[in-house]
Amino acid sequence: MTGRNAGAQTVSEGARVVVSRSFADFTPQATFDIKKCDLHRLEEGPPVKAELTREQGLQYYRTMQTVRRMELKADQLYKQKIIRGFCHLYDGQEACAAGIEAAINPSDHLITAYRAHGYTYTRGVSVKEILAELTGRRGGVAKGKGGSMHMYAPHFYGGNGIVGAQGQLFESYNMAALWKLPCIFICENNKYGMGTSVERAAASTDYYKRGDFIPGLRVDGMDVLCVREATQFAADHCRAGKGPIIMELQTYRYHGHSMSDPGVSYRTREEIQEVRSKSDPISMLKERMLSHNMASVEEFKEIDIEIRKQVEEATQFATSDPEPPLEELCNHIFSKNPPLEVRGTSPWSKLKSVS
């Protein structure tokens, strides 16, 4: 049953009567109050109201739910020892990637650190290619040679292992400010650095002020509309030639730091459950749309079923696709260079590298 035919009730003899609802029955657009951003070196900030169309809402829901299901599947595959090595999951933080992508252009360049699966998806890579990369298969986005921390796409340079290294970060702030670069620096503050809470790690947790001379915003990173509006504001700031800006997105990760971290030795299960019940980005968007008659419960269920099927099909591919052959191990080390010989692990053999 599609969204056009939402709401079916069963009658006697197993017959079904479908109560038809057309798209005309739904509210096409609504305006929502969003949390005011904290500002640093800014006279005004993003708006405190956000417009949402029905199409946008369904798109954001689909994006966030796909990332959520993909990450839960990655958790399962890791525990089955099908995914090995480092694996940093993004569930809980979906509004950040979805909200940022909703406010920038595909031609804009995006660089991130690890916990990059969500951005890899919003940048246009399929679930199949992401999961296959996690399982180290030839059909992965980096041909099975990158894994969780090294995924890339056009205009996306994602998944490197250094997260805001302090010296490099402040050098970048300084250079961006000197050259007035159109750069948005984003801190996804999920409240914990590995197993250490921000309060125990930083004398000042106002990360949006860390640029000092660079303007900053502190944003509700659990609300996709808040993230979208703040990113649009920041992008307009940069495109107007005003130089760099910093955004701190206050968010939360449901899993541990990585798969080797159970995530409950330094925080309580009750804390995680409270965030899930009160601030979950997917539930928040869904409730907003339902309360304004922008979609039906049945429609969301259909999307969920479709996404589950998509993730299962991707999983089937990611667990059956062959691993890359050994002779491809050293390929693509350089770009647009003639083939060269690379010493392999065996002193008696050499591997060829091609671009």
Side-chain angles (χ1 to χ4, degrees):
M1 200 166 38
T2 66
R4 294 178 182 274
N5 297 319
Q9 62 186 55
T10 304
V11 294
S12 60
E13 304 299 328
R16 303 189 78 196
V17 176
V18 177
V19 180
S20 178
R21 290 179 66 184
S22 70
F23 290 139
D25 295 329
F26 294 115
T27 305
Q29 183 171 318
T31 302
F32 297 95
D33 294 326
I34 56 175
K35 187 177 178 181
K36 184 179 180 181
C37 296
D38 296 320
L39 308 180
H40 172 64
R41 287 184 174 266
L42 289 166
E43 292 183 3
E44 60 178 354
V48 292
K49 291 183 181 293
E51 290 186 356
L52 178 71
T53 66
R54 169 181 149 81
E55 289 73 22
Q56 287 172 334
L58 292 175
Q59 177 190 339
Y60 302 161
Y61 179 85
R62 188 183 296 274
T63 297
M64 293 194 291
Q65 190 70 296
T66 299
V67 173
R68 175 72 55 87
R69 288 291 159 199
M70 179 176 71
E71 297 297 66
L72 294 177
K73 179 56 69 174
D75 170 75
Q76 180 185 338
L77 292 172
Y78 198 96
K79 288 170 179 172
Q80 293 172 350
K81 297 186 177 181
I82 297 172
I83 294 175
R84 310 302 293 265
F86 291 103
C87 187
H88 303 82
L89 301 182
Y90 199 64
D91 48 321
Q93 301 182 212
E94 295 91 349
C96 298
I100 289 169
E101 199 64 60
I104 63 175
N105 304 322
S107 58
D108 290 327
H109 300 272
L110 195 152
I111 306 169
T112 188
Y114 58 74
R115 212 177 304 283
H117 308 166
Y119 286 104
T120 308
Y121 178 72
T122 62
R123 290 268 92 183
V125 179
S126 68
V127 176
K128 183 174 81 169
E129 290 175 288
I130 294 171
L131 288 180
E133 188 58 43
L134 290 174
T135 58
R137 308 306 172 108
R138 194 161 55 186
V141 64
K143 302 185 186 301
K145 295 187 285 186
S148 176
M149 297 173 71
H150 304 285
M151 299 188 189
Y152 309 92
H155 300 122
F156 174 61
Y157 318 92
N160 60 78
I162 305 301
V163 187
Q166 290 304 302
Q168 294 168 355
L169 186 66
F170 289 109
E171 288 169 9
S172 300
Y173 285 170
N174 185 58
M175 189 173 289
L178 284 173
W179 293 353
K180 285 202 166 185
L181 298 181
C183 180
I184 306 172
F185 293 97
I186 298 173
C187 166
E188 287 191 50
N189 179 6
N190 61 23
K191 309 293 170 59
Y192 294 93
M194 298 184 74
T196 307
S197 67
V198 292
E199 291 80 12
R200 291 179 58 215
S204 170
T205 57
D206 293 337
Y207 296 106
Y208 69 110
K209 296 180 180 179
R210 289 284 182 95
D212 187 11
F213 38 79
I214 298 177
L217 300 166
R218 182 157 60 191
V219 185
D220 181 359
M222 300 299 274
D223 182 350
V224 67
L225 297 184
C226 212
V227 176
R228 185 193 70 182
E229 294 302 311
T231 305
Q232 185 66 63
F233 175 89
D236 290 344
H237 175 97
C238 290
R239 297 189 206 283
K242 297 178 181 178
I245 191 169
I246 294 172
M247 290 204 308
E248 175 190 345
L249 308 182
Q250 292 193 312
T251 183
Y252 198 84
R253 57 168 162 80
Y254 293 160
H255 268 86
H257 168 72
S258 68
M259 286 302 297
S260 60
D261 168 23
V264 291
S265 59
Y266 49 86
R267 60 182 183 177
T268 63
R269 295 182 188 277
E270 289 74 23
E271 176 185 309
I272 302 168
Q273 189 54 44
E274 184 177 13
V275 176
R276 281 183 176 274
S277 61
K278 294 182 179 179
S279 305
D280 183 78
I282 300 174
S283 299
M284 193 186 308
L285 175 63
K286 181 179 178 180
E287 291 306 315
R288 272 177 169 159
M289 293 187 70
L290 289 174
S291 65
H292 283 70
N293 191 39
M294 299 180 78
S296 66
V297 172
E298 292 80 6
E299 198 168 9
F300 284 120
K301 285 181 180 177
E302 287 171 8
I303 292 174
D304 293 346
I305 291 169
E306 180 188 331
I307 290 171
R308 284 176 186 267
K309 182 182 177 185
Q310 176 191 359
V311 171
E312 287 303 323
E313 289 174 352
T315 304
Q316 182 62 35
F317 174 78
T319 52
S320 60
D321 192 50
E323 294 181 358
L326 182 62
E327 56 268 22
E328 290 186 10
L329 182 64
C330 297
N331 286 355
H332 309 104
I333 294 176
F334 300 101
S335 173
K336 297 179 182 175
N337 273 315
L340 70 154
E341 292 185 340
V342 180
R343 183 192 292 177
T345 54
S346 167
W348 293 281
S349 68
K350 290 184 177 180
L351 293 171
K352 297 280 187 180
S353 174
V354 296
S355 299

